[in-house]
Amino acid sequence: MALRLGIDTGGTYTDAVLVDDNNKVLLAVKSLTTRHDLSIGIGESLRQIPTSHLGQIELVSLSTTLTTNAVVEGNGAPVCALLAGLSETQVSKSGLRDILEDEQIIRLAGGHDASGKQLNALDEVAARAAIAANKDKVSAFSVSAQFGVRNPSHEVRLQALVRELTGLPVTCGHELATSLGAPRRALTASLNARMIPFIQALIEAVKAILQDL
């Protein structure tokens, strides 16, 4: 019998539920959520599952309020935002300075118009310099370009440069939103990038627990 395991870490409790092929709940367990290290509470829940069931699990689904809580509390990993074609006014309106240091907000020449036509060539020389200057100071990068949802080529190129030069996680604005509001899209990309290292660590911890069990 193939089973599915659902894990949810909430603000107070961490729940684990086993469901069979008929969507019948076979087992539901919980433990206190350990905010300082979510993997501890997850491990305590999973260790309540009989070993006879563990080998039958073929799918694991993990959900968490970690990201929501972190955004509300103003927490997150350090991020560098690469902004192609955005004006100083747009940066000021974006709210980026509420979550990032000024030196981690990098405006670059580039961007497109509303039809997707390039307005200015992407300044790859400045981009490479900014990436090199920040790679040891941040845990992730975010990328957003003027009208990137109409033509994401500058965002895609900046993403490739970050991966080439640092290997760090990088989030592009066009991957997350289709709206034309460049300032809000830039903020969304940065908020997402701030959470990636936390989520990566959580997923790796859960994988290690499952492997151990």
Side-chain angles (χ1 to χ4, degrees):
M1 179 172 57
L3 302 178
R4 288 166 287 160
L5 170 64
I7 305 168
D8 177 67
T9 60
T12 304
Y13 292 104
T14 294
D15 298 279
V17 177
L18 277 180
V19 181
D20 65 15
D21 288 334
N22 298 315
N23 290 326
K24 178 183 178 182
V25 176
L26 300 181
L27 179 70
V29 297
K30 67 173 55 193
S31 64
L32 288 174
T33 294
T34 47
R35 293 287 297 276
H36 65 286
D37 185 346
L38 295 180
S39 65
I40 296 175
I42 291 172
E44 290 176 353
S45 288
L46 296 187
R47 289 184 179 89
Q48 298 179 57
I49 299 174
T51 54
S52 58
H53 289 332
L54 292 173
Q56 298 172 290
I57 296 172
E58 66 174 16
L59 180 146
V60 178
S61 176
L62 174 65
S63 65
T64 176
T65 58
L66 170 65
T67 53
T68 304
N69 292 340
V71 170
V72 171
E73 295 166 1
N75 297 324
V79 165
C80 175
L82 303 175
L83 310 174
L86 271 69
S87 67
E88 177 59 34
T89 299
Q90 288 175 308
V91 172
S92 297
K93 290 181 177 179
S94 68
L96 282 171
R97 290 196 172 95
D98 293 332
I99 65 170
L100 304 180
E101 300 294 333
D102 283 344
E103 57 266 29
Q104 267 75 62
I105 301 174
I106 310 297
R107 291 175 52 232
L108 301 165
H112 297 79
D113 63 18
S115 65
K117 181 181 178 181
Q118 179 175 279
L119 288 175
N120 296 291
L122 179 65
D123 189 343
E124 291 197 20
V125 173
R128 287 178 176 273
I131 293 168
N134 283 280
K135 67 178 183 178
D136 296 325
K137 301 177 183 179
V138 301
S139 299
F141 284 78
S142 68
V143 170
S144 192
Q146 180 77 339
F147 286 108
V149 294
R150 294 289 171 82
N151 186 337
S153 60
H154 287 179
E155 293 190 5
V156 172
R157 179 55 183 156
L158 287 171
Q159 184 181 53
L161 287 174
V162 170
R163 289 174 172 167
E164 172 192 333
L165 298 173
T166 74
L168 293 174
V170 53
T171 298
C172 289
H174 78 273
E175 297 173 320
L176 303 177
T178 59
S179 63
L180 294 179
R184 179 170 293 183
R185 196 167 61 252
L187 178 61
T188 300
S190 293
L191 287 170
N192 186 87
R194 293 181 86 201
M195 297 299 107
I196 291 176
F198 293 165
I199 296 299
Q200 282 184 327
L202 177 62
I203 291 173
E204 291 304 315
V206 172
K207 287 168 64 176
I209 294 168
L210 293 171
Q211 181 66 33
D212 182 57
L213 293 175

